[in-house]
Amino acid sequence: LPDIKIKSKECIQKANTETEKVLENILKKMLNVKEVDFSENLLALGGDSLTAISLNVQISKEIGTDISIKELMETKNFAELCNVIDNKQKLNKISLIKKIEDNEYYITSSAQKRIYMASQMSNNVVYNMPGKIQIKGNLDVSKLENAFKELISRHESLRTYFEMLRNGEIVQKIKTNNEFKLPIIKCDEINIESKIKNFVKPFKLSEAPLLRVQLLQLKKNKFILLFDMHHIISDGTSIQILMKELEDIYNGNKLKNIKITYKDYTYWEDENIEQGNLKKQEEFWLNQFSDEVPLLSMPLDFKRPEVKSFKGDTISTSVDREMSKNIIKLANKYNTTPYIILLSAYYILLSKYTNQSDIVIASPIINRQKEELNSVIGMFVNNIPIRIKTDDRLIFDDLVSNVKNLSLKCFDNQSYPFDKIVQKLNLNSNNQVNSLFNTMFVYQNNENLTISLNELETKIDIIDINISKFDLTLQIKPQKESFDIYIEYSTDLFRRETIQYLKEHYINVLKEITTNPKIILKDIDIMTNEEKNKILYQFNNTKINYENKTIQELFEEHVERKPNATALIFEDEKIKYDDLNKKTNSLAAYLREEGVTRNSIVGLSMKRSPELIVGLLAILKAGGAYLPIDPLLPQDRKEYMIESSGCKLLLVDNNKNTYKDIKTINIKGKNILSNSTRNIPNINSESDLFGVLFTSGSTGKPKCAALTRKRT
């Protein structure tokens, strides 16, 4: 995406000093480049603030000097950075992580304590981290099982469980034995989703391992490997470690020994806090929130429930190639990263929605600041609450500068646990609202998960469990020529269409700031053209249109308005409007293929069930008219109704009943509901048939009455 600048070898400034040569080796490995020009900086080589954090770790390890993220990002070039390293006086002693002696139990990290308490309050899958690997080929199941056994033996976190002592202290214990067995379940492809749904279930934190694995065998050489870990022993980097080491063990590659374990890290974290090594960081965070903490007050579609359910959904979009190029150009102009530009745009969006000028957005950070932690499975992620006070009279230039400077300071103080900030501020979260923030910004620039198992064909996917830990989470995934955007939201609070608009508004903010970076914040227009037209023309048009619409059109309009509202309740089953519409569309497409068109009469002989409603709506969408036939009627009466109405197609919900001279379709049959789920074009007018009903008839023979689609 950035403009490519080619330099001749004679113009490249090479490493000369000892420090420069060490830094050169670090950069070559980290950024996978063949040559480093010391007249350039980290941004010129494609690095960002997250790359700077990794570089910080390597400099600390290889050179033994602490450099702030701000210094890494703002030095003019690598030569100047080396001068800073050489001249910098070490203000803080670098604390080494020490091995802890084996014991009956061990202390837990701040993050583990929080997750443990939250998990006890709600027995659900909020903190599950499930995924699946599709495998094609001659899988050696025994080798796969042994690979997981070795991983569990290798990583203490995979043998860890948790208990609360009598004094209320939460501790972790580590099992010494490893009794792992890989469950293998034969499964038809039609049942995959139900198997996955049954696989993802709550963990008992008092039982190890907090890793669950299952192998679904679909065919002789076709499998799906399901895996799930609890967040209390794992994070995103841990899943990458698990996949990489599973690959190495299965492929016969030898792994390096792990020098440090997660329990060693917990004591190191505790020691740094108790000995005052993080006192300056603590002071920074307490100063950030010295006055009243602002709570984001988004306009909600639904009243906030008394007990948070964590139910959520996600919508996605992409920033087009041209705008993505402009975002990167803008970042280069300000000597910053796309992360800062995209985060600044999110502040603008939230400010427009809430009319607030003081907003806290949390951003997760990997927090593996020691190189030896990069191969350890465990929960290291720390949430960084970034508090920006804006003024809508500022120009965008000024906002970027503020966000950049504060973000870099926050990154430099990332070692102080978020949970300690909450504790020091005497903030208590409840079941409804997080104590310091309720929205998060995630910039996911890690490589996509991959795994290569010898000659096998593999593909990894994260399993979506429809969870939202916060009110809103905006996640950005940079791609080769674009940025993918994912908005996770609480369905307890927002309708899907509200988030659809929010998504469009965010894109509009990006469009405005990349077109005119000097724009005043209050002049940024987030509204879509559709919304402007509604305000200018529809809302001001008081003329009432009495145009008749068919029932399927009215139904589809309601689906658009309230896709997540409950449409059907049958016994313990609930079906949303969107799901009902998709099933109906699929069946309607199938009926069209079977020749159903305008005024075709289609019989409907089913017991009362959701399928009955799906069948009725599908017949109408396909263009036909439905003929209700009670399955309990005498056979001769049912056949008379079919013959006299001219019905040539019959929908049923079982294969028990047979009829003469008519094609029967079982709605529960294979592939019946596997067609396109899009709305199909309407082919009816109000004069067409809606349904055909039979009355009992005074002569003993049922009488037929036709209903049209015209509404009166």
Side-chain angles (χ1 to χ4, degrees):
L1 285 174
D3 294 332
I4 299 173
K5 297 176 183 178
I6 301 175
K7 281 189 176 183
S8 65
K9 289 190 176 181
E10 292 77 14
C11 295
I12 293 175
Q13 184 176 332
K14 296 185 177 181
N16 293 313
T17 69
E18 199 62 38
T19 302
E20 287 177 351
K21 289 175 182 176
V22 175
L23 182 62
E24 181 181 42
N25 288 331
I26 293 172
L27 291 168
K28 282 181 177 179
K29 290 177 184 177
M30 181 178 295
L31 300 174
N32 195 25
V33 292
K34 292 181 179 179
E35 202 161 25
V36 177
D37 184 353
F38 275 75
S39 67
E40 293 183 335
N41 59 18
L42 189 60
L43 293 169
L45 288 183
D48 55 28
S49 51
L50 300 181
T51 311
I53 293 169
S54 298
L55 180 58
N56 173 279
V57 172
Q58 293 299 320
I59 290 173
S60 175
K61 179 196 173 191
E62 300 291 339
I63 304 176
T65 301
D66 282 335
I67 298 293
S68 72
I69 306 300
K70 193 171 188 292
E71 287 169 323
L72 285 173
M73 296 297 294
E74 294 191 344
T75 45
K76 186 171 67 176
N77 52 46
F78 292 125
E80 184 180 302
L81 176 61
C82 288
N83 287 332
V84 172
I85 293 171
D86 288 337
N87 298 327
K88 189 175 179 65
Q89 293 181 349
K90 296 172 67 176
L91 299 176
N92 295 317
K93 183 180 179 181
I94 298 175
S95 173
L96 299 175
I97 302 178
K98 302 170 186 174
K99 290 287 291 180
I100 301 301
E101 293 182 2
D102 291 341
N103 213 326
E104 180 186 353
Y105 59 82
Y106 310 91
I107 64 172
T108 49
S109 67
S110 295
Q112 284 181 323
K113 289 182 177 71
R114 170 176 50 83
I115 294 174
Y116 180 91
M117 294 305 297
S119 298
Q120 300 306 304
M121 292 169 65
S122 56
N123 185 29
N124 53 34
V125 294
V126 175
Y127 290 100
N128 286 45
M129 303 179 69
K132 62 181 179 180
I133 308 173
Q134 298 177 51
I135 303 172
K136 291 182 181 179
N138 189 21
L139 176 67
D140 189 329
V141 176
S142 176
K143 188 190 287 187
L144 182 65
E145 182 177 70
N146 288 332
F148 272 106
K149 282 183 179 178
E150 186 173 334
L151 283 170
I152 293 170
S153 296
R154 173 179 170 82
H155 291 280
E156 287 184 352
S157 291
L158 301 181
R159 290 179 279 114
T160 298
Y161 60 101
F162 298 83
E163 290 182 0
M164 182 181 285
L165 302 182
R166 289 184 177 181
N167 63 1
E169 182 184 2
I170 302 164
V171 298
Q172 54 181 321
K173 296 185 176 183
I174 300 170
K175 284 181 68 174
T176 54
N177 59 330
N178 178 4
E179 301 166 352
F180 176 81
K181 295 287 184 185
L182 177 62
I184 305 168
I185 297 175
K186 292 193 174 180
C187 173
D188 296 327
E189 296 206 18
I190 197 170
N191 295 320
I192 291 173
E193 290 305 316
S194 64
K195 292 293 184 185
I196 292 174
K197 187 176 180 181
N198 292 333
F199 172 75
V200 181
K201 54 190 177 184
F203 284 96
K204 290 183 179 179
L205 298 185
S206 58
E207 296 178 6
L210 296 176
L211 163 71
R212 190 179 291 132
V213 185
Q214 188 179 100
L215 185 66
L216 302 182
Q217 183 169 11
L218 310 180
K219 295 178 182 177
K220 183 181 178 181
N221 291 324
K222 190 174 182 182
F223 306 84
I224 296 179
L225 181 68
L226 305 177
F227 62 90
D228 193 5
M229 285 194 288
H230 198 283
H231 206 354
I232 200 168
I233 60 143
S234 177
D235 55 19
T237 303
S238 297
I239 294 178
Q240 291 181 323
I241 294 168
L242 186 78
M243 293 298 105
K244 180 66 176 71
E245 293 191 353
L246 177 64
E247 173 186 302
D248 285 337
I249 296 170
Y250 185 90
N251 295 341
N253 301 326
K254 191 173 180 181
L255 299 177
K256 293 180 180 179
N257 292 332
I258 297 176
K259 298 177 182 178
I260 297 297
T261 66
Y262 190 81
K263 72 173 187 294
D264 303 326
Y265 163 78
T266 61
Y267 280 87
W268 175 75
E269 179 193 69
D270 186 67
E271 182 183 80
N272 275 326
I273 294 170
E274 292 300 318
Q275 293 183 358
N277 296 343
L278 300 179
K279 194 65 181 174
K280 286 188 176 180
Q281 295 197 24
E282 178 186 297
E283 290 171 358
F284 169 81
W285 289 114
L286 295 184
N287 183 58
Q288 286 293 301
F289 297 96
S290 58
D291 54 350
E292 185 179 355
V293 177
L295 188 64
L296 190 69
S297 184
M298 288 285 289
L300 306 178
D301 294 322
F302 309 110
K303 184 180 178 182
R304 193 178 291 275
E306 292 183 7
V307 178
K308 191 172 183 178
S309 73
F310 296 99
K311 292 177 183 176
D313 202 354
T314 302
I315 65 168
S316 61
T317 189
S318 290
V319 179
D320 63 44
R321 188 175 187 272
E322 190 62 33
M323 192 184 295
S324 298
K325 283 180 68 175
N326 290 336
I327 289 169
I328 292 172
K329 283 181 180 178
L330 200 58
N332 291 337
K333 174 187 173 184
Y334 295 125
N335 194 31
T336 188
T337 65
Y339 169 92
I340 297 297
I341 302 298
L342 294 162
L343 176 59
S344 300
Y346 193 39
Y347 272 106
I348 294 169
L349 178 71
L350 296 179
S351 181
K352 295 283 184 181
Y353 263 76
T354 62
N355 202 29
Q356 291 176 241
S357 58
D358 188 358
I359 295 173
V360 180
I361 300 176
S363 198
I365 203 156
I366 294 173
N367 197 33
R368 294 172 182 251
Q369 296 184 75
K370 294 293 181 182
E371 194 273 338
E372 56 265 43
L373 298 176
N374 289 336
S375 58
V376 178
I377 288 178
M379 171 52 184
F380 293 93
V381 170
N382 196 20
N383 291 329
I384 303 297
I386 306 173
R387 182 180 185 179
I388 294 291
K389 297 179 181 180
T390 62
D391 185 329
D392 64 4
R393 293 169 296 181
L394 291 175
I395 62 172
F396 179 69
D397 277 359
D398 296 328
L399 177 65
V400 170
S401 178
N402 293 345
V403 173
K404 174 186 172 183
N405 291 333
L406 183 57
S407 296
L408 293 177
K409 289 177 183 176
C410 290
F411 294 152
D412 280 336
N413 292 279
Q414 64 175 287
S415 296
Y416 196 76
F418 168 76
D419 303 277
K420 290 290 183 183
I421 300 173
V422 174
Q423 190 180 42
K424 290 287 182 180
L425 293 172
N426 293 317
L427 297 174
N428 293 313
S429 61
N430 54 43
N431 286 333
Q432 300 84 32
V433 183
N434 287 284
S435 52
L436 202 55
F437 65 90
N438 49 14
T439 187
M440 182 169 274
F441 179 84
V442 182
Y443 190 80
Q444 192 66 268
N445 69 341
N446 292 334
E447 293 181 6
N448 293 328
L449 282 172
T450 59
I451 188 168
S452 177
L453 304 175
N454 285 340
E455 303 300 319
L456 300 174
E457 184 181 331
T458 57
K459 181 188 175 186
I460 303 182
D461 291 303
I462 298 302
I463 296 171
D464 187 0
I465 52 177
N466 293 326
I467 289 294
S468 180
K469 294 189 182 75
F470 309 102
D471 292 359
L472 283 173
T473 298
L474 177 65
Q475 181 172 329
I476 308 289
K477 286 187 178 181
Q479 303 297 340
K480 193 172 183 180
E481 294 187 337
S482 65
F483 293 96
D484 290 343
I485 297 174
Y486 300 86
I487 302 178
E488 180 184 280
Y489 64 97
S490 168
T491 53
D492 285 341
L493 305 177
F494 302 104
R495 294 188 178 96
R496 187 174 181 84
E497 58 262 41
T498 299
I499 306 303
Q500 292 280 9
Y501 276 120
L502 186 140
K503 173 192 71 176
E504 296 300 326
H505 294 158
Y506 183 64
I507 294 293
N508 284 350
V509 172
L510 294 175
K511 192 181 298 181
E512 292 269 82
I513 62 176
T514 52
T515 303
N516 179 18
K518 298 291 184 183
I519 191 169
I520 299 172
L521 299 185
K522 68 180 177 64
D523 293 336
I524 293 176
D525 186 3
I526 68 171
M527 291 180 65
T528 64
N529 290 331
E530 179 187 354
E531 290 172 302
K532 291 175 185 176
N533 286 332
K534 277 185 179 179
I535 292 171
L536 292 173
Y537 304 111
Q538 293 183 28
F539 293 166
N540 287 326
N541 184 7
T542 56
K543 180 182 176 181
I544 298 175
N545 188 356
Y546 290 98
E547 178 187 23
N548 282 319
K549 294 182 179 179
T550 61
I551 191 169
Q552 65 263 35
E553 289 174 322
L554 294 171
F555 173 76
E556 287 167 2
E557 286 177 2
H558 194 79
V559 172
E560 284 293 320
R561 289 196 303 270
K562 298 184 177 182
N564 291 314
T566 300
L568 282 179
I569 299 176
F570 181 74
E571 297 178 347
D572 294 329
E573 184 180 4
K574 290 184 179 180
I575 300 177
K576 297 177 182 178
Y577 272 99
D578 189 53
D579 294 332
L580 177 61
N581 191 47
K582 287 177 179 177
K583 289 181 179 181
T584 301
N585 288 338
S586 182
L587 180 56
Y590 184 88
L591 293 176
R592 283 268 179 96
E593 291 176 1
E594 290 294 324
V596 175
T597 185
R598 291 177 64 184
N599 297 323
S600 297
I601 296 173
V602 181
L604 198 60
S605 184
M606 300 182 193
K607 60 185 178 182
R608 186 174 294 182
S609 65
E611 287 80 12
L612 177 65
I613 304 300
V614 170
L616 191 155
L617 288 171
I619 292 168
L620 297 177
K621 283 197 174 198
Y626 78 100
L627 168 65
I629 302 173
D630 188 343
L632 300 179
L633 286 174
Q635 185 70 12
D636 59 344
R637 182 160 180 166
K638 289 188 285 187
E639 290 182 357
Y640 171 82
M641 294 166 67
I642 291 169
E643 184 180 352
S644 60
S645 66
C647 175
K648 300 295 182 186
L649 193 65
L650 182 66
L651 285 179
V652 297
D653 55 3
N654 62 65
N655 295 319
K656 293 179 181 179
N657 295 325
T658 57
Y659 300 87
K660 295 185 297 183
D661 302 323
I662 186 169
K663 182 169 183 177
T664 302
I665 298 172
N666 186 348
I667 196 172
K668 295 181 179 178
K670 189 177 180 181
N671 298 327
I672 299 298
L673 296 179
S674 61
N675 300 283
S676 171
T677 58
R678 291 185 177 182
N679 290 333
I680 62 176
N682 178 36
I683 59 174
N684 295 106
S685 66
E686 62 181 29
S687 62
D688 289 336
L689 285 177
F690 173 87
V692 177
L693 304 180
F694 278 83
T695 63
S696 58
S698 57
T699 62
K701 287 284 186 181
K703 289 184 178 180
C704 179
L707 305 175
T708 67
R709 295 174 183 245
K710 184 175 181 179
R711 295 189 298 123
T712 57

